[in-house]
């Protein structure tokens, strides 16, 4: 059994107005991290995260750098408070950039610029209203895979987030996604709903964006991380900067294999995980994935204290 925790970083969808406000009131490192990010990108990310408007915070081009800053801020507070070094890290989609930054593979400044460009490319890849994502609940993975194949009818339609048993997100062209919603209900899905996102992430519609991101990644200095980071695309660690670049580019049009990631962490003997960032999305998913792993969310002072105490007694 590992005596060190895992660190998980949430991605797009975990953002909320006034995120990390309570933690920032106690730990100046939070605001300092956001100030650094704001200076790098030339926009006030802290004000956006605190005051919105929510519609602006939820825009991909804003959400991604805000969530990166949030993950790094929580990590810095954790280390400042003497929190245990993790044995492994992972991030859900965008959260992978937070993991790589905190593991030392990327500088914070480079990560911010990369994520801002990633968001811009993703937003530009598909015209408004032509792509969509939807969550299907209560269906086996194999059923969702077959459903996407059957309902594509020549369009792009793919399972893209394997988030938990019985919870899969699909993405693709809007018409195909809407067909899949009707088909999912017909085969017994407990819920099938469109997600309020502007970009159909992790499907083939992102291939052009990935090609352009590859060029940007080639210009970015990367190091081998000091802490192992499990990548979304293959649930494996990268042994070189070239492998990291390839994984990040491929991630844009490949499924997020979150169930396998959490299972792989538990198989390493890890029994405690920290969700570093706003909300409890990953905490909720992880409970359904592997009962051996306890995940504690850290986004406010009480949660931080609880997690620090728990990690000291693992």
């Amino acid at each position: 059994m590992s005596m060190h925790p895992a660190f998980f970083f949430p991605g797009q969808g975990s953002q909320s107005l006034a995120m990390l406000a309570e933690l920032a009131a106690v730990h100046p490192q939070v605001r300092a991290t956001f100030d650094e990010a704001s200076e790098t990108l030339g926009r006030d990310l802290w004000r956006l995260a605190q005051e919105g408007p929510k519609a602006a915070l939820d825009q991909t081009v804003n959400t991604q750098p805000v969530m990166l800053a949030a993950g790094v801020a929580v990590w810095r507070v954790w280390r400042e408070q003497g929190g245990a070094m993790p044995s492994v890290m992972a991030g859900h989609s965008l959260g992978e950039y937070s993991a790589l930054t905190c593991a030392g593979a990327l500088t914070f400044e480079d990560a911010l610029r990369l994520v801002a460009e990633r968001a811009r490319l993703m937003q530009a890849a598909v015209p408004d209203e032509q792509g969509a994502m939807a969550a299907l609940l209560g269906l086996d993975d194999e059923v969702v895979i077959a459903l996407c194949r059957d309902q594509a009818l020549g369009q792009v339609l793919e399972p893209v987030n394997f988030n938990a048993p019985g919870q899969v997100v699909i993405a693709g062209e809007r018409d195909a996604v809407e067909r899949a919603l009707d088909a999912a209900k017909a085969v017994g899905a407990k819920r099938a709903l469109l997600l309020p996102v502007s970009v159909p992430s992790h499907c083939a519609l992102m291939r052009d964006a990935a090609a352009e991101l590859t060029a940007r990644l080639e210009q970015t200095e990367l190091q081998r991380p000091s802490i192992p980071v499990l990548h979304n695309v293959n649930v494996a660690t990268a042994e070189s900067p070239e492998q990291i670049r390839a994984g990040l580019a491929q991630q844009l049009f490949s499924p997020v294999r979150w169930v396998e990631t959490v299972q792989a962490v538990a198989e390493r003997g890890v029994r405690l995980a920290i969700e570093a960032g706003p909300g409890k999305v990953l905490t909720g998913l992880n409970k359904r994935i592997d009962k051996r792993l306890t995940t504690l969310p850290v986004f406010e002072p009480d949660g931080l204290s609880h997690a620090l105490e728990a990690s000291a007694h693992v």
Side-chain angles (χ1 to χ4, degrees):
M1 182 181 295
S2 173
M3 301 301 289
H4 296 274
F7 254 69
F8 293 136
F9 295 88
Q12 201 163 342
S14 289
Q15 73 277 4
S16 61
L17 290 179
M19 55 195 274
L20 304 189
E22 293 178 41
L23 194 67
V26 179
H27 299 283
Q29 185 73 268
V30 174
R31 182 62 187 272
T33 300
F34 271 83
D35 287 347
E36 185 181 342
S38 298
E39 184 175 349
T40 297
L41 297 181
R43 43 191 159 129
D44 193 338
L45 297 182
W46 181 251
R47 183 174 180 180
L48 178 64
Q50 299 308 300
E51 302 175 16
K54 190 174 188 307
L57 178 61
D58 289 346
Q59 289 177 352
T60 293
V61 292
N62 292 324
T63 307
Q64 296 200 19
V66 164
M67 285 298 298
L68 174 68
V72 172
V74 171
W75 168 250
R76 288 177 173 179
V77 170
W78 176 264
R79 294 300 298 145
E80 183 182 60
Q81 294 300 303
M85 285 293 286
S87 59
V88 64
M89 289 181 166
H92 190 285
S93 187
L94 167 72
E96 195 164 285
Y97 286 80
S98 304
L100 288 167
T101 302
C102 297
L106 275 167
T107 68
F108 186 34
E109 181 177 342
D110 283 344
L112 285 163
R113 297 190 189 283
L114 261 182
V115 161
E117 180 68 359
R118 177 184 188 265
R120 185 191 69 78
L121 291 170
M122 291 173 70
Q123 192 71 63
V126 181
D128 288 345
E129 302 302 319
Q130 290 192 19
M133 299 182 77
L136 306 184
L137 307 183
L139 297 177
D140 290 341
D141 292 354
E142 295 74 18
V143 174
V144 176
I145 292 168
L147 186 148
C148 286
R149 184 180 61 243
D150 294 344
Q151 297 300 320
L153 303 182
Q155 294 182 299
V156 173
L157 179 64
E158 301 167 13
V160 295
N161 289 359
F162 294 95
N163 283 334
Q167 182 174 334
V168 181
V169 174
I170 62 174
E173 294 174 72
R174 180 170 288 272
D175 290 349
V177 171
E178 290 176 348
R179 282 196 301 274
L181 287 175
D182 292 335
K185 293 170 186 173
V187 297
K190 292 179 182 176
R191 295 186 70 192
L193 62 157
L194 280 174
L195 298 177
V197 297
S198 57
V199 173
S201 304
H202 301 294
C203 72
L205 296 174
M206 291 292 117
R207 282 187 177 274
D208 288 347
E212 294 189 60
L213 183 65
T214 297
R216 186 60 178 262
L217 285 163
E218 291 296 337
Q219 300 166 7
T220 303
E221 184 175 350
L222 284 160
Q223 310 289 335
R224 184 174 177 175
S226 59
I227 301 163
V229 175
L230 293 177
H231 289 264
N232 289 175
V233 297
N234 56 7
V235 197
T237 57
E239 299 303 318
S240 69
E242 291 73 25
Q243 289 180 340
I244 296 172
R245 291 186 180 98
L248 290 176
Q250 188 180 345
Q251 187 217 59
L252 273 189
F253 59 86
S254 302
V256 174
R257 295 163 61 180
W258 193 250
V259 172
E260 294 171 85
T261 298
V262 174
Q263 290 171 338
V265 168
E267 285 299 317
R268 286 171 171 246
V270 177
R271 295 295 176 261
L272 177 67
I274 308 300
E275 179 176 2
K280 304 177 182 179
V281 170
L282 300 183
T283 299
L285 295 178
N286 295 359
K287 281 181 183 177
R288 297 178 55 196
I289 295 170
D290 201 308
K291 300 296 185 187
R292 294 174 293 176
L293 195 65
T294 297
T295 306
L296 300 178
V298 174
F299 59 89
E300 41 78 33
D302 286 348
L304 173 65
S305 297
H306 184 197
L308 286 169
E309 181 178 357
S311 68
H313 295 95
V314 171

Short mmCIF file of all heavy atoms in Angstrom, two decimals, residues 71 78 111 142 270:
data_model
loop_
_atom_site.label_atom_id
_atom_site.label_comp_id
_atom_site.label_asym_id
_atom_site.label_seq_id
_atom_site.Cartn_x
_atom_site.Cartn_y
_atom_site.Cartn_z
N GLY A 71 -6.15 24.92 -10.13
CA GLY A 71 -5.46 23.70 -9.75
C GLY A 71 -4.07 23.97 -9.21
O GLY A 71 -3.66 23.41 -8.18
N TRP A 78 -1.19 23.56 -0.79
CA TRP A 78 -0.93 22.25 -0.20
C TRP A 78 0.54 22.09 0.19
O TRP A 78 0.87 21.67 1.30
CB TRP A 78 -1.33 21.16 -1.20
CG TRP A 78 -1.04 19.76 -0.77
CD1 TRP A 78 0.05 19.01 -1.09
CD2 TRP A 78 -1.87 18.92 0.04
NE1 TRP A 78 -0.04 17.76 -0.54
CE2 TRP A 78 -1.21 17.67 0.16
CE3 TRP A 78 -3.12 19.11 0.65
CZ2 TRP A 78 -1.76 16.62 0.90
CZ3 TRP A 78 -3.66 18.05 1.38
CH2 TRP A 78 -2.98 16.83 1.50
N ALA A 111 2.40 26.76 -19.41
CA ALA A 111 1.12 26.04 -19.36
C ALA A 111 -0.05 26.97 -19.63
O ALA A 111 -0.99 26.62 -20.35
CB ALA A 111 0.96 25.36 -18.00
N GLU A 142 -20.34 -0.60 -23.57
CA GLU A 142 -20.48 -1.26 -24.86
C GLU A 142 -21.76 -0.84 -25.58
O GLU A 142 -21.78 -0.73 -26.81
CB GLU A 142 -20.48 -2.79 -24.67
CG GLU A 142 -19.18 -3.36 -24.14
CD GLU A 142 -18.95 -3.08 -22.66
OE1 GLU A 142 -19.94 -2.75 -21.95
OE2 GLU A 142 -17.79 -3.18 -22.21
N VAL A 270 -2.46 3.00 -3.88
CA VAL A 270 -2.87 4.29 -3.32
C VAL A 270 -4.27 4.16 -2.74
O VAL A 270 -5.16 3.57 -3.37
CB VAL A 270 -2.84 5.39 -4.41
CG1 VAL A 270 -3.34 6.71 -3.85
CG2 VAL A 270 -1.43 5.53 -4.97
#
